[in-house]
Amino acid sequence: MINDSVLVVIAASAISYGTPLLFAALGELLAERSGVLNLGVEGMMLMGAVTGFWAVQTVGGPGWVSLITAVVVAALAGAGTSLIHAFLTITLRASQIVSGLALTIFAGASGLSSYIGHVANLGGKPARHEFDALNVLGLRDAPVIGPILFHQNALTYVSWTLVALTLFYLYRTRPGLHLRAVGESPGTADAMGVNVTAYRYIHVMIGGALAGIGGAFFSLAITPSWLDGMTSGAGWIAIALVIFAFWRPELALVGAYLFGAFSSLAFTLQARQVHLPPEVFASLPYLMTIVVLVLVSTGWARRRLGAPAALGVPYVREER
Amino acid sequence: MKKSAAFVLTLVAALGLGACGTSNTSSGSSSTPSVIKAAWVYVGPITDHGWTQAHDEGRKYVEQQLGSAVQTTYKENVPEGPQVAQVIEDLIRDGNKIIFGTSFGFQDAFYSEAQKHPDIKFEQATGFKTAANMGEYFGAAEDADYLTGMALGAASKKGKIGFVAPFPIPEVIREINAVTLGAQTTHPGATVQVVWTNTWFDPTKEKQAAQSLLSLGVDAIGQGQDSPATGDAAKAVGVPWSGYDSDQSSYAPDIWLTGTVYHWGPYYAKRVKAALDGSWKMDNYYGSIADGMIGLAPFGKSVPAAIQSQITAKMDAIKGGTFYEFTGPLKDQTGSTHVPAGTKLTLNDLFSMDWFVQGVIGSPKGS
């Protein structure tokens, strides 16, 4: 059957393993569009993973209530964690690099997320409910497109909606315009009457919330359980993905699935007797990001496609 | 000024994680004077639902058996590296007289600490270095793997079995061979296809490896991994699954067959008792189904009664010494005879095994 052919299998798993990257990358993209680089994505994802799993184990009621609550809790945990970064970098104007790294160390593997998992005794138990793949419109078994487009879980369809919403927000709304202004030239935005601090706080926290949901995707969909450091580097790939996607939501979607495909490609090929070390595929997202970084380093590309001009720079009104 | 304050805050936050290390002590009782302190050093979390959890159940068994005569401690998530010696020193300072290490990578640290502290007893699982005060212990998991293979073979309609494997090392290779030989008794001509993950414990990778096999159409799947992620992938497509290390049936009860499990408790109790009464001697112990160190997890509901009794009968034969799965004639992957008729592989052969039996699809050298 054609749905068992290697390309269909790779495409379908690219979407399921790319979805957490897409959530986290969309969030980071919004934060960076406001001029704040947050390297704490991995830590925020793990906070989302652990709190989301805790919620699904604790909140009673039908499965869908418990799962929706878990996603909300994960988003709040991610946003809460990002608030530390927002306070340090926006209010106290600390180095965004140092603060973001500290956030990943503090909240990440063998940090706060592990501690919560330990104290709440979450390890070694299957999730009470999980996000199963849906059979959308009954088209699950349709040739080729069935397994790829109509046999994913609910969060994947949510992520597609989010890409569309983010595109609309960035390019078709006034707050989106303000956001881009804050990221490119906070001084000008401030002069226009835009509250730079508020915009940055809000978008760093939206970034945290989406990273939290991306993390919960691991503990509620990929391997429905809690394990220390279970996102195993997805947060870093998401950060690379934002650069790879030139800070554009539609390209983040493409990149997420490309990077998602790499994560399982080694095994799919190995099962078909094509032997390539998994490390090759594990390093591909970073290699491709480096190539993109080189490509966008030309002056023209940087103006047309590059990072928001004020990315990484604290905004100080007096210095305007 | 503000900037430096923020920097200090960030540093404090970064250092905060140092406080999150874990160590736990629980005691039977501390009032009686003739009490021995025993300690375990684990590579993973005690809730891994696999290797480390099985060892920790052994520790609890010791507490239960020896009651107030023992105080146990454990250190979990100890990385295989320079920290091991530090952890051991701490445990000795706390008065522990016998220390168990449960990962191959602890071996060198245990050995050098054993030289430094001749009055302390050391025990190291899965390794080979011994000293007057340092013993080794492991068990013949391959016997139970063979029985697991029988369940897999019976469950597979097409005779296409998948196996998610960690590392291409003798311990795992003999496990895959035993599974394959077992499967071929209940399903003549069955094949076992291997995908290597190159990790003991990484649920995402384990699940991806399992999915890659399932997409090829294997209709029964086993694992040598420490997490139940393979079962999670199998559950989605309703394919029967066998686990490893601990009873993992709760993850997917409908498709669960059985799996090799370790019961470390009786061995630990025996050794701690020996250390307590002074009869402890260095040993290189290889446990078995007969002495209870190795066992089979309870059968799932999808294993028919006839197969269950067939497997149980074979288990009795292994226990009684009338059956040994690695007895010739055994053919390798190319179809040529590797072990001549009547020859039995020795423990040395098992510990250096680097070839697959006929019916295994994949390379014994890894990916």
Side-chain angles (χ1 to χ4, degrees):
Chain A
M1 206 173 126
I2 188 154
N3 285 355
D4 293 328
S5 71
V6 65
L7 286 177
V8 174
V9 169
I10 289 171
S13 75
I15 291 182
S16 50
Y17 292 105
T19 300
L21 301 177
L22 181 56
F23 273 109
L26 277 180
E28 178 69 8
L29 185 151
L30 285 168
E32 291 191 18
R33 283 283 189 159
S34 78
V36 181
L37 174 70
N38 187 351
L39 296 180
V41 181
E42 180 81 357
M44 300 187 298
M45 286 183 88
L46 282 166
M47 287 300 288
V50 72
T51 54
F53 185 75
W54 169 80
V56 90
Q57 300 299 74
T58 318
V59 177
W64 62 272
V65 173
S66 170
L67 283 170
I68 290 174
T69 314
V71 170
V72 172
V73 167
L76 290 176
T81 313
S82 72
L83 195 56
I84 301 173
H85 184 67
F87 178 71
L88 287 171
T89 62
I90 303 169
T91 302
L92 299 184
R93 298 182 200 118
S95 155
Q96 294 182 5
I97 308 274
V98 176
S99 164
L101 286 174
L103 196 62
T104 279
I105 298 170
F106 166 66
S110 51
L112 184 60
S113 64
S114 308
Y115 181 71
I116 293 172
H118 201 86
V119 169
N121 194 21
L122 297 177
K125 294 185 196 82
R128 283 172 55 231
H129 307 287
E130 60 186 273
F131 282 100
D132 286 317
L134 303 171
N135 186 0
V136 179
L137 306 172
L139 288 173
R140 183 179 70 187
D141 296 316
V144 185
I145 54 164
I148 300 173
L149 299 180
F150 299 104
H151 192 45
Q152 303 290 346
N153 69 46
L155 284 177
T156 302
Y157 300 115
V158 171
S159 73
W160 294 353
T161 317
L162 266 178
V163 172
L165 284 177
T166 310
L167 269 172
F168 180 79
Y169 172 68
L170 278 178
Y171 300 110
R172 291 278 182 274
T173 67
R174 184 160 290 272
L177 179 71
H178 290 166
L179 169 66
R180 286 184 289 145
V182 167
E184 294 295 338
S185 175
T188 317
D190 195 6
M192 277 160 54
V194 175
N195 186 339
V196 173
T197 304
Y199 264 80
R200 289 192 164 176
Y201 259 93
I202 288 167
H203 289 91
V204 167
M205 287 176 69
I206 293 174
L210 292 180
I213 296 174
F217 194 88
F218 280 90
S219 61
L220 300 176
I222 290 182
T223 48
S225 54
W226 163 250
L227 299 149
D228 284 4
M230 70 186 304
T231 53
S232 51
W236 298 107
I237 295 186
I239 293 168
L241 180 57
V242 175
I243 301 166
F244 182 81
F246 306 117
W247 293 266
R248 286 157 180 267
E250 71 279 15
L251 292 179
L253 178 87
V254 176
Y257 295 155
L258 192 61
F259 291 180
F262 295 146
S263 78
S264 62
L265 197 55
F267 299 121
T268 309
L269 293 178
Q270 201 196 122
R272 286 166 171 79
Q273 308 300 317
V274 180
H275 294 286
L276 281 169
E279 291 79 6
V280 171
F281 293 99
S283 61
L284 270 180
Y286 302 105
L287 283 176
M288 294 176 67
T289 303
I290 291 170
V291 171
V292 166
L293 275 177
V294 172
L295 289 179
V296 299
S297 63
T298 62
W300 173 84
R302 197 179 305 157
R303 274 192 309 278
R304 296 281 305 162
L305 308 164
L311 181 58
V313 186
Y315 177 60
V316 187
R317 198 174 222 177
E318 293 79 16
E319 291 170 6
R320 195 168 77 217
Chain B
M1 203 50 216
K2 257 186 173 177
K3 259 193 172 165
S4 61
F7 194 78
V8 170
L9 251 178
T10 351
L11 267 183
V12 169
L15 292 172
L17 95 140
C20 294
T22 50
S23 107
N24 284 281
T25 304
S26 56
S27 59
S29 155
S30 47
S31 51
T32 29
S34 65
V35 170
I36 186 165
K37 281 186 157 188
W40 277 257
V41 185
Y42 301 137
V43 70
I46 59 162
T47 54
D48 68 351
H49 228 88
W51 180 255
T52 296
Q53 186 165 329
H55 283 284
D56 200 56
E57 274 156 19
R59 179 188 64 82
K60 289 183 197 148
Y61 180 85
V62 172
E63 283 192 344
Q64 220 177 65
Q65 292 296 306
L66 276 67
S68 57
V70 65
Q71 267 187 45
T72 72
T73 310
Y74 65 87
K75 300 270 180 189
E76 62 182 334
N77 286 320
V78 177
E80 296 176 341
Q83 297 93 322
V84 183
Q86 186 66 48
V87 167
I88 296 172
E89 289 289 340
D90 285 352
L91 289 171
I92 293 172
R93 220 169 297 135
D94 284 347
N96 289 286
K97 294 296 175 207
I98 179 163
I99 302 174
F100 296 90
T102 66
S103 193
F104 184 82
F106 295 161
Q107 174 167 262
D108 290 333
F110 264 70
Y111 188 74
S112 66
E113 289 297 309
Q115 306 300 311
K116 269 191 247 167
H117 302 277
D119 54 324
I120 308 290
K121 313 279 184 272
F122 292 88
E123 297 246 5
Q124 153 79 30
T126 77
F128 52 84
K129 283 190 181 172
T130 53
N133 60 332
M134 174 165 161
E136 293 280 356
Y137 61 100
F138 199 13
E142 54 272 14
D143 295 344
D145 295 332
Y146 180 87
L147 302 172
T148 302
M150 290 175 69
L152 282 167
S156 168
K157 289 192 179 67
K158 293 185 279 185
K160 282 178 73 175
I161 297 162
F163 196 88
V164 183
F167 292 99
I169 57 175
E171 174 190 334
V172 178
I173 288 173
R174 67 177 183 265
E175 176 183 4
I176 293 167
N177 283 339
V179 163
T180 308
L181 293 172
Q184 287 168 347
T185 61
T186 48
H187 194 122
T191 59
V192 173
Q193 179 155 9
V194 176
V195 166
W196 300 105
T197 62
N198 292 312
T199 174
W200 288 113
F201 187 76
D202 182 335
T204 303
K205 281 188 182 169
E206 294 170 31
K207 185 169 185 182
Q208 289 170 339
Q211 285 173 330
S212 74
L213 287 164
L214 292 164
S215 75
L216 280 180
V218 303
D219 59 359
I221 192 162
Q223 67 175 78
Q225 304 286 156
D226 290 353
S227 100
T230 301
D232 199 59
K235 190 172 61 175
V237 285
V239 163
W241 159 62
S242 70
Y244 188 60
D245 287 333
S246 299
D247 180 4
Q248 298 164 322
S249 57
S250 64
Y251 278 81
D254 293 334
I255 57 162
W256 171 259
L257 295 170
T258 182
T260 300
V261 295
Y262 295 88
H263 302 293
W264 304 102
Y267 177 77
Y268 286 149
K270 194 176 74 182
R271 299 302 275 173
V272 173
K273 209 184 258 172
L276 181 63
D277 64 25
S279 66
W280 190 96
K281 273 198 188 64
M282 185 279 280
D283 193 7
N284 198 339
Y285 190 79
Y286 201 59
S288 65
I289 295 181
D291 73 10
M293 185 182 271
I294 302 298
L296 210 53
F299 291 112
K301 52 190 165 202
S302 60
V303 184
I307 301 297
Q308 292 191 16
S309 53
Q310 196 183 339
I311 293 173
T312 316
K314 192 64 93 180
M315 187 194 263
D316 291 337
I318 291 173
K319 263 193 223 168
T322 56
F323 177 81
Y324 176 50
E325 65 276 10
F326 289 119
T327 305
L330 295 176
K331 288 182 174 170
D332 66 16
Q333 277 178 304
T334 65
S336 56
T337 302
H338 198 278
V339 181
T343 305
K344 291 185 175 195
L345 291 186
T346 64
L347 215 49
N348 268 341
D349 295 332
L350 294 187
F351 273 73
S352 59
M353 196 176 258
D354 60 355
W355 58 281
F356 275 147
V357 298
Q358 193 170 30
V360 180
I361 304 172
S363 165
K365 291 187 181 65
S367 59

